[in-house]
Amino acid sequence: GKSSGSSAGKLVFDWNFECGNLQSADETVKESEYDLKIRPDTNNPRYRVWFYFSVRNARRKQVVLFNLTNFSKGKSLYRDGMSPLVRSTSRPHWQRLPSRSTYYYKCPRHKMGYVLSFVFEFDSEEDTYWFAYSFPYTYTDLQDFLLGLERDESSSVTFTRSELCRSIGGNRCDLLQITAPPRPGNQPSDRQCFVISGRVHPGESNASWVVKGLVRFLTGDGCVARLLREQFVFYVVPMLNPDGVINGFYRVSLSGQDLNRQWADPGRSMHPTIFHLKQFVKGLADEGRLICYIDVHGHSTKRNVFMYGCTGTDGREKLFPKLLGERSPHFSFKDCRFDVDRSKENTGRVVVYREVGIVHSFTLEASFCG
């Protein structure tokens, strides 16, 4: 939907594009303050976090206060220095707004709901400006990235792309295989496997950036990547919820359900990506080849990069995160947790650990705010 207006200074809003999300934009103080509402996820009004919209028709040096008035989360990294992102036609790279211009608070004017307010000064009348909760990564971005890998002569030797299934909306859910070509005495079918998935929660766009970096590394020509490909097969499902991503949802799929709470008994028609990934994971485990499952997420209230594992009896489940923390300055082992709340019993990492029997089964969390 759009707000209309022609005279410079009366802002024109748009969110009718891939990953876009806003429900309404109301001018509360002429040309200087707007109350905005986030569109809830389809079939599930509980989730109102992700926003991504554009603005045009501003005057040069026009200063505007934007109030996003209906956040569904109380805790937020916006209280801890995070700020929204902006880019424009003439400045195409995303930048964070100054944190001193960003406020997250309970607002009496909005029934004590949580409000994100930020001030922005427009610097061009010709430009269109885009604002977002975090760095967007669209379904189209993924398809373009995978197409580039397929066309690249060096990466195409180690990388194959197939279709795991189609989503409820008919969108492709990709399955990537990354490994070295077969050699005498070292066939891919004999190698142990990692399975990595991402973007089951569509508003956690940083998960896609993590998966993209992982795929780039694994398909690259570095000596570590080459050694890993010789020893292992890496299966990657980069976007488990393409419908949610395309439609600008924060948490759920078109069914209105959180797909990372459906692993215990996924439905072929209601949760096709989870159903088919679970079958694939169980098949690898039955062959004795699966050694690790990692589901990549973004975290909206904690800092750092860390893992959630499961509770074991001998501590083996802590080994992989411990080694990762020792070798990477970007990973925080002290923030890892190895217990299972009742609310998490139907998640991917817990079901793969308990039902499939894979000790090294994790959720990798990357903070929205570094």
Side-chain angles (χ1 to χ4, degrees), residues 1-17 20-22 24-27 31-37 51-60 62-68 84-91 94 97 118-132:
K2 299 183 184 181
S3 208
S4 61
S6 54
S7 59
K10 185 172 179 60
L11 302 185
V12 179
F13 293 81
D14 185 15
W15 50 90
N16 189 26
F17 49 82
N21 184 306
L22 209 63
S24 63
D26 298 317
E27 188 179 52
E31 297 184 1
S32 62
E33 185 171 357
Y34 288 81
D35 280 358
L36 314 178
K37 279 196 164 80
F51 62 86
Y52 182 19
F53 60 92
S54 70
V55 175
R56 61 179 176 83
N57 207 47
R59 288 194 317 274
R60 188 171 179 274
Q62 181 178 353
V63 178
V64 175
L65 174 63
F66 295 101
N67 305 307
L68 284 142
L85 290 147
V86 63
R87 70 176 180 90
S88 67
T89 312
S90 58
R91 298 184 187 187
W94 289 104
L97 297 172
F118 60 91
V119 179
F120 185 76
E121 180 178 338
F122 294 89
D123 58 5
S124 169
E125 293 192 4
E126 288 75 33
D127 274 11
T128 297
Y129 297 78
W130 289 265
F131 298 89

Side-chain angles (χ1 to χ4, degrees), residues 20 78 141 189 254 368:
Y78 284 129
D141 289 334
S189 59
L254 283 178
F368 279 104

Side-chain angles (χ1 to χ4, degrees), residues 95-151:
Q95 293 179 301
R96 289 207 182 272
L97 297 172
S99 57
R100 66 180 180 274
S101 303
T102 303
Y103 311 91
Y104 194 79
Y105 56 100
K106 273 188 172 184
C107 182
R109 191 158 61 92
H110 297 285
K111 302 177 183 178
M112 296 306 291
Y114 286 93
V115 173
L116 170 69
S117 295
F118 60 91
V119 179
F120 185 76
E121 180 178 338
F122 294 89
D123 58 5
S124 169
E125 293 192 4
E126 288 75 33
D127 274 11
T128 297
Y129 297 78
W130 289 265
F131 298 89
Y133 176 83
S134 187
F135 295 90
Y137 190 96
T138 68
Y139 178 76
T140 300
D141 289 334
L142 173 65
Q143 297 305 311
D144 290 345
F145 171 59
L146 298 181
L147 186 61
L149 286 177
E150 286 182 311
R151 290 176 173 174

